[in-house]
Amino acid sequence: MIPSEHGGAAYALREEQISMLRELKLFLFDLDGTLYLGERLFPFTPALLREIRGRGGRYLFMTNNSSRSVKDYAARLCRLGIAAQEADFVTSSQAAVYYLNRYCAAATLYVCGTRSLKEELMRAGFGVTEKPEEAEGILMGFDTELTFQKLRDISYLLCTRDLPYFATNPDYVCPTEFGSVPDCGSVCEMLYRATGKRPVVLGKPEPIMPQLAMERVGCAPQQTAVIGDRLYTDIRCGICAGVRTVLVMSGETTPEMLESSADKPDVVLQSGAQLLKALRLA
């Protein structure tokens, strides 16, 4: 068995769990809280990614954070010391484009999101408007450029029109070095209190991103794992997609949250450092 460095026997790995981890071919990593925290890269991260590549495996970065474009994310990881290309990412923005192309192709959207999200949607052929009267649908993202005018416009649309209403993700908070800040789910909850309307969620915990990743790489569900720090997005997403699930306790989840959750991961680790140790076993 492999004990955790900080959690003692509470997060020790059983032999069958170690075997399962070593059989994986595709590792779908959440980012913040899993591989880094804010602007601080976890010490084990570079070695873990090298180990996966050295074993002939593949990893992709799978994030619900729609505030940055894939290009921005790749640049950020390179700045933190991780060599990353745009093809290494599966994002909630990509999941939104995939879903909207199937059900709302070429629609004009009122977007509560950053300039990067709006540009990504426009490149995919969607119209983006700041005029409520032009909106044919609403998309909520993690909006680090949020204004009260956006909240008012969306409240007006939800109260007066029956428009398709989507959200990139349901995360309540985004972790930082000092704690957390409100994420898309918190803003959607605020709008629900005002309007009684809830959006259709397109990112985690929905299975779209793992499905896109497996299709891209050519891996089966039993060869694939979602690794993340949140039960209600990362772990639930992996369960919905039928893949393996690995919870790391280096981000949002507390032992009390894990104990009370109906969604139980296949493996619980104190951090990705335990995963690195398991993969290095002969």
Side-chain angles (χ1 to χ4, degrees):
M1 299 178 71
I2 299 178
S4 70
E5 293 180 347
H6 306 291
Y11 304 121
L13 286 174
R14 300 189 303 273
E15 293 301 324
E16 62 270 24
Q17 291 176 316
I18 296 171
S19 297
M20 181 269 286
L21 292 172
R22 290 176 54 78
E23 291 171 359
L24 295 173
K25 300 297 182 183
L26 176 58
F27 298 76
L28 302 178
F29 283 105
D30 174 59
L31 289 171
D32 219 338
T34 302
L35 296 179
Y36 58 76
L37 191 61
E39 294 297 320
R40 179 174 62 86
L41 190 69
F42 289 135
F44 59 79
T45 297
L48 174 57
L49 299 180
R50 286 195 301 269
E51 181 69 23
I52 291 170
R53 285 281 173 89
R55 295 173 53 82
R58 179 75 186 274
Y59 58 79
L60 295 175
F61 306 116
M62 192 171 73
T63 179
N64 260 356
N65 190 330
S66 62
S67 66
R68 295 182 175 91
S69 68
V70 172
K71 182 178 180 181
D72 292 336
Y73 266 117
R76 185 185 190 194
L77 288 189
C78 288
R79 186 176 70 252
L80 291 175
I82 301 174
Q85 303 176 4
E86 293 184 32
D88 294 329
F89 292 84
V90 182
T91 69
S92 62
S93 301
Q94 293 172 344
V97 167
Y98 174 83
Y99 186 93
L100 293 171
N101 267 328
R102 294 185 65 183
Y103 298 103
C104 299
T108 297
L109 303 170
Y110 190 101
V111 179
C112 186
T114 60
R115 183 177 302 177
S116 290
L117 176 59
K118 294 175 182 178
E119 289 174 351
E120 194 162 354
L121 291 164
M122 288 189 287
R123 285 195 298 270
F126 295 94
V128 174
T129 185
E130 296 180 359
K131 299 177 180 179
E133 64 271 17
E134 295 178 351
E136 298 172 318
I138 302 165
L139 179 65
M140 303 293 297
F142 177 34
D143 192 357
T144 57
E145 302 160 9
L146 183 64
T147 64
F148 185 80
Q149 186 62 51
K150 291 180 183 179
L151 295 175
R152 189 184 189 283
D153 287 346
I154 294 167
S155 296
Y156 168 77
L157 288 171
L158 293 175
C159 288
T160 62
R161 298 175 61 187
D162 186 21
L163 294 181
Y165 176 35
F166 306 101
T168 59
N169 61 295
D171 303 57
Y172 290 123
V173 298
C174 180
T176 70
E177 299 94 328
F178 61 79
S180 298
V181 295
D183 204 327
C184 180
S186 291
V187 178
C188 291
E189 187 66 23
M190 179 167 55
L191 288 167
Y192 169 72
R193 298 297 177 182
T195 69
K197 301 286 183 67
R198 292 195 186 276
V200 174
V201 175
L202 305 178
K204 297 179 285 187
E206 297 304 310
I208 298 175
M209 283 196 281
Q211 290 168 349
L212 290 173
M214 288 186 286
E215 181 179 329
R216 183 189 303 179
V217 175
C219 275
Q222 64 268 24
Q223 299 173 307
T224 303
V226 171
I227 302 100
D229 68 304
R230 295 182 179 183
L231 290 159
Y232 65 95
T233 55
D234 301 315
I235 300 308
R236 184 63 186 163
C237 175
I239 292 171
C240 289
V243 304
R244 308 294 192 179
T245 55
V246 180
L247 176 70
V248 291
M249 304 295 285
S250 50
E252 180 179 319
T253 300
T254 64
E256 294 75 20
M257 293 165 65
L258 175 59
E259 178 66 25
S260 63
S261 175
D263 295 323
K264 301 301 185 185
D266 293 310
V267 179
V268 181
L269 307 175
Q270 184 66 32
S271 74
Q274 272 185 285
L275 175 58
L276 175 60
K277 287 183 179 180
L279 295 179
R280 281 177 168 174
L281 288 177

